[in-house]
């Protein structure tokens, strides 16, 4: 991986995946912490890795996904997908605990969402409720927008209709995001993917990022 200016890194996702793809890396770090830190300090360091340690853990996971995992693209996503696109991003206008990234390729409308706590440099906040990286919580955050909420109220409980509702919500979320586009690189977990209910010839992809980095 080249040098990146990270704006978002999900330590919780990285830790979960790293424990599965490289247990030795996790054990080595745990041993080092136990030798050099008190139990309390070690616990805190484990919860919030900083600087080079955070980058090393992230790079190990991304490298594994590139070499062995199901890593696709925005237009052809696997379980995970990589992209480099102009995106609008920031706190979702009606739900500031949710950070949202929205944009599109020539074929796919893209939305990425996660907890604002994972934005680098953001003040620490007490976690409450379900993590924003989980599909129900992410969609609940989008539905704080009145138009998305109104759409959800008229949708039946059929699975197909619920999926169309969720994909349409991504379209609306991209429309309400303020600010300029910035070139951003990311690797994300696929949450939802399907044909656009509103724009013929387009797909819609909703994911949650492992990382997002600014590319000039």
């Amino acid at each position: 991986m080249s040098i990146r200016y990270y704006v978002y890194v999900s330590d919780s996702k990285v830790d979960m995946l790293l424990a599965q793809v490289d247990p030795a890396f996790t054990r080595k770090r745990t041993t080092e912490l136990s030798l050099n830190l008190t139990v309390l300090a070690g616990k805190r360091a484990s919860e919030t890795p900083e600087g080079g340690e955070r980058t090393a853990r992230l790079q190990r996971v991304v490298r594994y996904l590139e070499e062995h995992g199901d890593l696709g693209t925005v237009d052809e996503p696997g379980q995970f997908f990589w992209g480099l696109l102009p995106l609008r991003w920031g706190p979702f206008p009606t739900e500031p605990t949710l950070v949202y990234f929205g944009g599109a390729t020539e074929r796919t409308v893209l939305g990425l969402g996660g907890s604002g706590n994972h934005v680098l440099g953001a003040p620490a906040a007490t976690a409450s409720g379900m993590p924003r990286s989980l599909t129900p919580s992410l969609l609940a955050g989008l539905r704080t927008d009145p138009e998305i909420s109104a759409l959800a109220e008229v949708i039946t409980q059929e699975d197909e209709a619920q999926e169309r509702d969720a994909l349409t919500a991504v379209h609306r979320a991209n429309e309400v995001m303020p600010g300029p586009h910035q070139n951003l690189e990311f690797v994300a977990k696929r949450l939802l993917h399907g044909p656009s209910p509103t724009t013929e010839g387009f797909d819609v992809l909703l994911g949650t990022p492992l990382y997002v980095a600014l590319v000039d």
Side-chain angles (χ1 to χ4, degrees):
M1 294 174 67
S2 59
I3 295 175
R4 291 172 169 83
Y5 189 90
Y6 294 105
V7 298
Y8 176 106
V9 176
S10 175
D11 293 320
S12 57
K13 296 188 197 74
V14 170
D15 286 347
M16 175 183 65
L17 295 171
L18 186 61
Q20 299 174 67
V21 305
D22 194 349
F25 191 109
T26 303
R27 286 195 299 269
K28 179 176 182 293
R29 178 170 174 270
T30 300
T31 301
E32 291 172 348
L33 285 172
S34 65
L35 291 174
N36 296 295
L37 301 171
T38 65
V39 173
L40 179 59
K43 180 176 184 296
R44 288 177 176 170
S46 178
E47 291 172 349
T48 56
E50 298 295 340
E53 181 188 351
R54 168 184 280 130
T55 303
R57 295 164 71 78
L58 172 62
Q59 289 178 344
R60 180 67 189 92
V61 170
V62 172
R63 187 163 58 248
Y64 180 90
L65 294 177
E66 290 172 341
E67 295 175 353
H68 306 290
D70 189 6
L71 183 66
T73 64
V74 173
D75 290 330
E76 297 181 1
Q79 295 184 51
F80 296 85
F81 58 93
W82 173 92
L84 174 57
L85 290 173
L87 303 176
R88 288 192 176 98
W89 74 282
F92 193 65
T94 54
E95 180 47 76
T97 66
L98 169 64
V99 61
Y100 186 82
F101 305 81
T105 70
E106 295 181 352
R107 295 168 43 193
T108 305
V109 175
L110 171 70
L112 303 174
S115 170
N117 292 338
H118 298 317
V119 175
L120 299 191
T126 303
S128 61
M130 293 175 64
R132 287 299 185 195
S133 58
L134 299 180
T135 307
S137 180
L138 175 50
L139 291 174
L142 298 183
R143 287 178 179 132
T144 57
D145 176 86
E147 289 193 23
I148 296 176
S149 178
L151 172 68
E153 290 177 359
V154 300
I155 295 293
T156 71
Q157 294 303 308
E158 296 178 0
D159 288 345
E160 184 177 343
Q162 290 289 314
E163 182 168 341
R164 288 200 306 269
D165 166 31
L167 297 175
T168 302
V170 176
H171 275 276
R172 171 59 186 167
N174 286 11
E175 292 171 358
V176 303
M177 281 302 297
H181 287 90
Q182 290 187 296
N183 286 328
L184 298 173
E185 181 191 50
F186 51 85
V187 167
K189 174 72 175 76
R190 184 194 71 221
L191 300 177
L192 291 171
H193 182 229
S196 169
T198 62
T199 307
E200 186 176 355
F202 270 76
D203 287 338
V204 178
L205 175 61
L206 178 65
T208 186
L210 274 64
Y211 79 86
V212 181
L214 180 63
V215 177
D216 293 330

